[in-house]
């Protein structure tokens, strides 16, 4: 699921792995804290039932799967695309640091601060001037990598969105990001001014409820700004009934009124079905592309995977994990930002940590520390995704004649249309993969059988 290019707005959270708050589901959970302006590493997440992007258009099928295989031409494209995304993830990280350094070198942040001070003596009003200028600068300077990513997606058939539509979505994302950025940055510097020694701890505390609120509001406010949603019961009554059966088996309460069809096909060739929201905003969403390219049993497995994230409390576990990462990274930022400002701050026109112009320094440091922590985040994400795969197999056992084969078929379809690499670079997997590789997922689906000799599943008994 796209992150709507809100990187500029929730950068203080996104680079630390809390960007999950603005993603539709933990199946798309990418706890990798990328650099502020780094290219978002979407493709290396070897295609999952939660997030995938097709380059081909296979029709719904039930071809027996024994392992992940691709036709020669598709195999070549998958390998090439994987290498491009791996390079862009690394280049994007370095480029993001370069942009922050350039802003400091040109003293742009200090200029924006001065403009705010000339306009008003009130900190909040200054923030209303500084923050949009700063984040617009980040957004504009990041355009080369974002344009290149979209160009690659179009070249490989992963996107059908016109450039005009893409620019409109980019603008919406920047607008939402600026609004969120104003809130976060205003809070950050208010905390720094009031507690120079413990700001990192207090801001960490404040960020936690904000993340939870964003998870709740995502399907109600953000998603409809970018895609069309309609009741699934009106679009596909049979699929709705099958999903109801799966939800009942999972012991959850998501009535048909909270099951939605999403019109993704006008912008992307991606496949997706997910569960999103919290409490009253919880809902199941199935993309039109998925309905067109997968069978009903395969879609039910995909939704079962997503349901697993809720039943196994991955939302809250993910938030707790992200909170622990935030805690450590904010502390490291606190311990190092003073030294950096003492050495170079005056040359960049920065008066101190409580100066708005220190923001790019803090972001640069946090980006470096977050990148170092990335393998830990990715490993955690792969772990919970594997658990969700297992849950999907268990919850659909008995609902479909062969849940393992059905799951393997869904992974095969998603891998083909997403051009998922059959032989990914181990370093790429270690650094960036938020999901197990497609070959591993298919192998697990085909071999997991706890029901032999009267046994039962671990999560669904």
């Amino acid at each position: 699921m796209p992150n709507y290019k809100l990187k500029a707005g929730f950068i203080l959270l996104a680079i630390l792995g809390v960007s999950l708050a603005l993603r539709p589901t933990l199946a798309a959970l990418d706890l990798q804290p990328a650099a502020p302006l780094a290219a978002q590493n979407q493709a290396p997440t070897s295609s999952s039932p939660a997030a995938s992007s097709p380059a081909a258009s296979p029709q719904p099928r039930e071809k027996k799967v024994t392992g992940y295989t691709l036709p020669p031409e598709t195999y070549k494209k998958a390998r090439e695309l994987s290498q491009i995304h791996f390079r862009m993830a690394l280049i994007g990280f370095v480029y993001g640091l370069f942009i922050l350094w350039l802003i400091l070198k040109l003293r742009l942040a200090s200029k924006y601060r001065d403009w705010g001070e000339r306009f008003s003596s009130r900190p909040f009003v200054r923030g209303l001037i500084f923050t949009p200028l700063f984040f617009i600068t980040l957004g504009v300077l990041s355009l080369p990598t974002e344009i290149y990513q979209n160009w690659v997606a179009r070249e490989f058939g992963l996107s059908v969105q016109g450039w005009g539509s893409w620019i409109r979505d980019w603008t919406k994302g920047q607008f939402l990001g600026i609004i969120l950025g104003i809130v976060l940055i205003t809070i950050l510097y208010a905390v720094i001014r009031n507690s120079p020694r413990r700001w990192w701890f207090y801001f960490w505390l404040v960020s936690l409820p904000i993340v939870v609120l964003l998870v709740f509001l995502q399907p109600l406010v953000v998603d409809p700004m970018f895609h069309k949603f309609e009741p699934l019961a009106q679009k596909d009554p049979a699929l709705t009934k099958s999903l109801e059966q799966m939800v009942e088996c999972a012991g959850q309460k998501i009535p048909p009124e909270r099951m939605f069809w999403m019109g993704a096909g006008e912008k992307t060739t991606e496949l997706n079905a997910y569960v999103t929201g919290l409490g009253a905003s919880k809902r199941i969403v199935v993309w039109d592309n998925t309905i067109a390219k997968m069978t009903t049993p395969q879609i039910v497995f995909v939704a079962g995977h997503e349901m697993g994230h809720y039943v196994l409390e991955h939302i809250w576990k993910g938030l707790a994990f992200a909170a622990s990462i935030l805690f450590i990274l904010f502390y490291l930022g606190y311990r190092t930002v003073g030294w950096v400002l003492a050495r170079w701050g005056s040359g960049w026109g920065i008066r101190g940590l409580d100066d708005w112009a220190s923001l790019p320094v803090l972001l640069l440091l946090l980006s470096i520390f977050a990148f170092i922590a990335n393998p830990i985040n990715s490993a955690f994400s792969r772990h919970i995704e594997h658990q969700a795969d297992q849950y999907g197999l268990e919850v659909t056992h008995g609902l479909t004649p062969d849940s393992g084969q059905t799951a393997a078929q869904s992974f095969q379809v998603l891998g083909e249309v997403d051009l998922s690499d059959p032989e990914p670079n181990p370093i790429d997997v270690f650094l960036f993969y938020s999901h197990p590789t497609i070959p591993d997922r298919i192998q697990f689906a085909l071999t997991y059988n706890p029901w032999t000799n009267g046994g039962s599943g671990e999560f669904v008994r």
Side-chain angles (χ1 to χ4, degrees):
M1 182 70 175
N3 65 359
Y4 306 124
K5 299 183 175 58
L6 290 179
K7 288 175 288 188
F10 58 88
I11 195 169
L12 283 176
L13 302 182
I15 63 175
L16 305 175
V18 194
S19 56
L20 65 95
L22 290 180
R23 293 172 185 248
T25 169
L26 276 211
L29 175 60
D30 205 1
L31 284 175
Q32 51 194 32
L37 303 173
Q40 295 298 306
N41 187 41
Q42 297 169 357
T45 61
S46 354
S47 184
S48 78
S52 52
S53 320
S57 300
Q59 295 301 310
R61 62 184 184 174
E62 295 183 357
K63 181 179 178 181
K64 185 175 179 61
V65 173
T66 58
Y68 182 45
T69 58
L70 295 175
E73 186 62 29
T74 305
Y75 175 89
K76 180 180 178 182
K77 292 177 66 176
R79 294 286 292 158
E80 182 181 357
L81 182 63
S82 177
Q83 293 167 6
I84 290 174
H85 279 106
F86 183 35
R87 289 195 299 267
M88 281 305 300
L90 298 175
I91 293 173
F93 167 70
V94 176
Y95 181 66
L97 298 183
F98 169 77
I99 289 177
L100 292 171
W101 173 84
L102 184 64
I103 289 174
L104 291 169
K105 184 69 175 179
L106 299 178
R107 302 178 65 148
L108 295 179
S110 60
K111 291 178 182 178
Y112 299 156
R113 173 209 62 207
D114 293 342
W115 294 350
E117 290 178 347
R118 293 193 195 104
F119 189 84
S120 175
S121 60
R122 300 178 61 183
F124 179 73
V125 176
R126 292 177 180 177
L128 290 177
I129 296 173
F130 174 87
T131 304
L133 291 172
F134 178 73
F135 284 135
I136 288 174
T137 301
L138 290 180
V140 171
L141 292 177
S142 73
L143 270 174
T145 57
E146 299 205 26
I147 289 175
Y148 177 72
Q149 289 180 81
N150 192 55
W151 178 82
V152 169
R154 288 165 60 90
E155 285 294 302
F156 281 84
L158 306 182
S159 173
V160 294
Q161 185 179 21
W163 282 105
S165 174
W166 184 87
I167 292 173
R168 286 192 293 272
D169 279 356
W170 181 87
T171 303
K172 292 177 188 177
Q174 294 299 313
F175 176 74
L176 291 174
I178 288 172
I179 293 176
L180 182 55
I182 289 173
V183 174
L184 292 174
I185 304 308
T186 300
I187 293 174
L188 172 64
Y189 281 94
V191 172
I192 289 176
R193 285 190 296 271
N194 285 279
S195 183
R197 296 179 62 85
R198 294 185 177 86
W199 64 266
W200 61 276
F201 177 72
Y202 294 131
F203 185 69
W204 172 76
L205 288 178
V206 172
S207 70
L208 303 183
I210 293 177
V211 170
V212 175
L213 178 63
L214 292 174
V215 173
F216 177 82
L217 292 178
Q218 166 80 15
L220 301 177
V221 179
V222 178
D223 291 353
M225 294 180 63
F226 296 86
H227 292 286
K228 180 181 180 180
F229 292 82
E230 294 184 19
L232 183 62
Q234 296 180 9
K235 291 288 187 177
D236 196 326
L239 175 58
T240 302
K241 187 169 182 60
S242 295
L243 291 177
E244 284 185 84
Q245 294 175 346
M246 185 276 294
V247 171
E248 182 179 354
C249 183
Q252 296 295 297
K253 294 182 179 180
I254 303 182
E257 296 76 28
R258 292 196 193 174
M259 298 182 184
F260 293 89
W261 168 97
M262 192 185 96
E266 63 181 6
K267 295 181 180 180
T268 179
T269 53
E270 291 181 340
L271 304 183
N272 205 349
Y274 60 85
V275 180
T276 185
L278 290 173
S281 71
K282 184 190 297 184
R283 61 196 57 201
I284 290 178
V285 177
V286 183
W287 287 12
D288 55 349
N289 296 336
T290 306
I291 295 175
K293 297 176 182 178
M294 296 182 69
T295 66
T296 294
Q298 291 166 1
I299 296 174
V300 171
F301 167 75
V302 170
H305 166 104
E306 303 301 334
M307 188 63 67
H309 287 302
Y310 277 87
V311 176
L312 302 179
E313 299 184 343
H314 288 163
I315 296 292
W316 297 108
K317 291 177 182 177
L319 289 173
F321 180 83
S324 66
I325 296 295
L326 279 171
F327 183 88
I328 295 172
L329 297 184
F330 279 158
Y331 177 72
L332 291 175
Y334 159 72
R335 296 294 298 179
T336 55
V337 69
W339 175 80
V340 173
L341 291 177
R343 181 158 185 168
W344 293 289
S346 59
W348 295 329
I350 302 173
R351 302 164 185 163
L353 182 59
D354 60 348
D355 182 357
W356 295 81
S358 68
L359 180 60
V361 178
L362 186 58
L363 291 179
L364 190 149
L365 291 171
L366 292 177
S367 296
I368 293 173
F369 294 135
F371 185 82
I372 294 173
N374 210 48
I376 300 175
N377 295 335
S378 297
F380 173 80
S381 182
R382 289 194 299 272
H383 169 69
I384 64 175
E385 292 301 333
H386 174 72
Q387 284 191 331
D389 285 349
Q390 180 179 334
Y391 183 90
L393 288 166
E394 294 181 8
V395 78
T396 56
H397 179 71
L399 295 178
T400 57
D402 188 342
S403 60
Q405 179 61 214
T406 298
Q409 291 169 0
S410 70
F411 288 132
Q412 176 67 35
V413 172
L414 289 164
E416 287 182 9
V417 298
D418 189 39
L419 295 179
S420 296
D421 192 348
E423 303 174 27
N425 186 324
I427 299 177
D428 191 4
V429 176
F430 176 73
L431 289 176
F432 301 121
Y433 269 46
S434 60
H435 294 68
T437 67
I438 278 288
D440 289 344
R441 300 179 88 174
I442 289 180
Q443 181 65 22
F444 178 73
L446 294 175
T447 57
Y448 183 68
N449 187 13
W451 303 280
T452 304
N453 300 323
S456 63
E458 178 182 357
F459 305 126
V460 181
R461 299 184 183 277

